[in-house]
Structures are given as C-alpha cells and as structure tokens.
Amino acid sequence: KSYNVAVVGATGMVGQKMLQVLAELKFPVKNLYPMASKRSAGKEIIFNGKPYVVQELCDEAFDQEIDIALFSAGGDTSERFSPVAAAKGVIVIDNSSAFRMDPTVPLVVPEVNPEDLDWHKNIIANPNCSTIQAVVALKPLYDAFGIDRIVYSTYQAVSGSGVKGYADLENGIKGEDNAFYPHPIAYNVLPHIDSFLDNGYTKEEMKMINETRKILHDDSLRITATTVRVPVFYSHSESVNVELKKPFELDAIRKLYSDAPGIVLQDDPANNVYPLARTAENTDEVYVGRLRRDESIDNGLNLWVVADNIRKGAASNAVQIAFELAKRGLI
Ligand code: 2RA
C-alpha cells in the first residue's frame, strides 16, 4: 500500500531531512505534497528524482487526498494547522512542541512506546531531539531494572536551532560576531537552550524532564537536566546518570545494549572507542558507551549517549512513526 504524504515546512532544515529520509528509507509515497509559508511557496524541490512545486500552506491544502502530514514548521504553525488537517482526516506527525504534553496526543519513539500510537486522535507528537535519544538508551534499563532517578547533562549541536544557529557557528569560526545566540557560540559553551522559566530551568531542560515521564508512562521518575549548546554542527551528545531500582552487573547492561533495537554499543575506551558526534552524523541509530558504575549511589550507572539530532532526533523518528502506523494498520 502507498500513501499520500504532505511535508509541512518542506524547505526548512528538518523538513528537507524528512524528504531525504522518506526517500532513503523507501517509505511508500504515492503522491507528495510539500508545503511551506508564502515566503517559500513556489520553490521547486526534487523527491525521488521527480520535481515538485512547494505549495503555500493554507486550510484548503488539506482538502487534497492526503493520508499523513509530517509537520516541522514551528509551534505556531502546528497549533494553527494541525487541528485543521486532523479534522479533515489527515494523520499529523508533528515535530514541534505544540502538542507534546497534550494528554490526548501520543508522544512516540517507535523503539520505546509504539503502543501509544493505538490511541491517537489524528495528531501524534514527535518528542524533542534531546529526549528521543535519551529514552531510546533508557528503555532497556527501565524494563530490566526499573529507574528511580535520572540526571541529564547535554551537549547539543547548533543545527538544533535550525539555519540561524548553524550560521552563528559558521560565521563565528570566521570571527564574525553572533547574530542569533545571546553570546558567541564559536569556541564557547552556552548553558542556555530556548528560554528561561521562573524555576531557573530552561524550556529545553523542562522538555527533557516532562517528555521522559510521558514517554515512559512514569510520573514518579525523579529527573533533573542541564542542557547546553556546544560548537558542533550536527549530533547531540548526552551524559546520562541513572539510579536503577535493582542491583545490576555491567556485563548484563552491555548484553542488553547489544540486543536493543535502534542502539549501537560503542564501549572500548582502551582503544578510544566511544560514541562521537561525527560518527553519529547522518545515521538513525542511538550510540551508547562509557558504561560505568556510579559508586556514589546505590545501583548507579553512567552512560554517554550520542545521536544525529536532525535525523533520529527529528526527521527519521517522524518517518519511523509513519512506518509503525502503517505496520499497525492505523493509516
Ligand atoms: C535544540 N532540541 O537543540 C532543541 C530544538 N531542536 O535547539
């Protein structure tokens, strides 16, 4: 069976990656409907070797025969148009944060909680990139040992901010000052992703905390997070400290990761083997390494988790959700 697919935000960094991944993973696309704002409408894109003209996003655009709409056009656009598309019977997979914490909207990582797709009401939320790679790494531990507490420290690529963040680093390396970030990102590290909240955390940090609990269906999880922007173009790297509920042997953890879906274990420090941003770039796996016991707490474990934030962190996870919907007969 093949499907009519819209990509809303088709000319943006994630939208373009969605088109690339749809083709690369051979999602069965019957007709493609690339859409964007008035500013980008009219542009021509090539998909599977065929030219398509980008349509202007409007309510009527969803009167066309569309089965699935992948959205990556910002929260405002998702809030305005996802319900319109959903009401017309289109299944929306939304990469923005607009609906992630809506109790009627499943927040899904196919390796972690695919069963949540069964109750979708035509809008499905793609989690935040830094959350996706973390829960893929945590799921095997959660199922085998239970988890009491998580401490996230992230080192996030500038592509997470789209073309503006990317350009700040590119120009910063050439000595031109910063236009997007609050401080120069070149040769620097910014403990500031998205905006600050009254509790002193940033929205990015609260996304990781709240989304982890929703995806693992466990509001009792004790979690804290520090999310940091680093001068890297692609891939987010994360230090994850986790307190399990039960005692464990490191060999059992290694075996779990060797068998876990979507995970590549890279853990041989004696030979300088551990996950790297540049190795993860342009792949769909989550890389785990630097496994070691945290002797300062009971059942404590440290991990290093890396993934391409534009692929597994956004575009590929959304396309994998579309495959899972098709597999479950939900389209
Ligand atoms: C970032 N995770 O890295 C956020 C949104 N993509 O900026």
Side-chain angles (χ1 to χ4, degrees):
K1 189 175 181 220
S2 57
Y3 304 92
N4 293 328
V5 179
V7 175
V8 178
T11 56
M13 189 178 276
V14 172
Q16 289 178 71
K17 193 60 76 173
M18 285 172 162
L19 292 166
Q20 178 192 330
V21 168
L22 281 167
E24 216 177 276
L25 301 186
K26 298 185 172 32
F27 186 79
V29 176
K30 188 183 334 177
N31 294 305
L32 182 80
Y33 299 86
M35 299 179 190
S37 64
K38 194 178 185 65
R39 185 165 38 85
S40 305
K43 282 181 185 166
E44 184 177 274
I45 56 125
I46 304 293
F47 175 74
N48 274 342
K50 273 178 65 184
Y52 292 83
V53 175
V54 177
Q55 302 179 18
E56 182 180 344
L57 177 63
C58 61
D59 290 9
E60 295 69 32
F62 297 104
D63 292 332
Q64 302 172 98
E65 275 303 300
I66 295 171
D67 301 309
I68 305 173
L70 303 180
F71 271 67
S72 192
D76 293 346
T77 299
S78 283
E79 272 186 48
R80 167 67 181 78
F81 288 100
S82 295
V84 170
K88 294 175 184 225
V90 176
I91 296 178
V92 172
I93 301 171
D94 178 21
N95 188 50
S96 85
S97 56
F99 298 97
R100 286 180 185 151
M101 298 314 293
D102 181 325
T104 70
V105 173
L107 180 66
V108 176
V109 179
E111 298 92 327
V112 179
N113 62 324
E115 66 285 351
D116 285 348
L117 290 172
D118 294 340
W119 49 268
H120 81 75
K121 311 267 183 304
N122 281 8
I123 297 179
I124 295 151
N126 211 35
N128 191 36
C129 40
S130 46
T131 309
I132 290 174
Q133 63 188 77
V135 293
V136 171
L138 290 172
K139 171 72 173 172
L141 303 177
Y142 190 87
D143 289 349
F145 299 100
I147 294 179
D148 262 336
R149 181 171 182 262
I150 304 164
V151 180
Y152 289 133
S153 303
T154 74
Y155 310 81
Q156 301 185 214
V158 294
S159 53
S161 309
V163 289
K164 289 181 180 168
Y166 191 100
D168 252 25
L169 178 54
E170 224 171 18
N171 297 331
I173 290 170
K174 290 181 257 173
E176 291 150 34
D177 66 3
N178 58 296
F180 177 72
Y181 291 119
H183 303 282
I185 181 62
Y187 318 108
N188 209 358
V189 171
L190 309 185
H192 179 180
I193 296 180
D194 207 326
S195 47
F196 279 100
L197 300 165
D198 295 344
N199 67 354
Y201 282 70
T202 58
K203 279 187 180 174
E204 186 79 356
E205 287 155 354
M206 293 315 296
K207 283 176 185 175
M208 288 198 80
I209 293 167
N210 295 326
E211 293 176 24
T212 298
R213 289 183 178 138
K214 179 169 177 180
I215 292 163
L216 294 177
H217 308 114
D218 186 346
D219 288 342
S220 72
L221 279 171
R222 293 180 294 135
I223 310 175
T224 190
T226 303
T227 60
V228 175
R229 189 72 68 194
V230 295
V232 165
F233 285 111
Y234 292 101
S235 300
H236 289 347
S237 304
E238 300 179 352
S239 167
V240 181
N241 173 276
V242 58
E243 188 168 351
L244 303 182
K245 286 188 182 294
K246 296 176 196 163
F248 62 88
E249 291 302 325
L250 271 179
D251 287 347
I253 303 278
R254 280 186 220 293
K255 174 84 175 68
L256 266 184
Y257 279 135
S258 305
D259 303 341
I263 290 178
V264 175
L265 181 64
Q266 293 181 321
D267 194 26
D268 180 8
N271 293 302
N272 299 332
V273 175
Y274 29 73
L276 293 169
R278 289 177 58 165
T279 315
E281 189 176 330
N282 208 25
T283 74
D284 293 335
E285 281 67 37
V286 172
Y287 300 82
V288 177
R290 296 298 321 280
L291 297 180
R292 61 208 187 283
R293 193 176 291 281
D294 171 1
E295 303 288 1
S296 70
I297 52 171
D298 295 340
N299 309 319
L301 177 70
N302 285 317
L303 317 170
W304 180 249
V305 181
V306 179
D308 181 315
N309 58 298
I310 301 295
R311 285 189 66 119
K312 182 54 189 168
S316 302
N317 197 71
V319 173
Q320 288 163 356
I321 288 173
F323 273 108
E324 189 65 30
L325 285 167
K327 187 174 127 190
R328 289 169 176 258
L330 293 171
I331 309 178

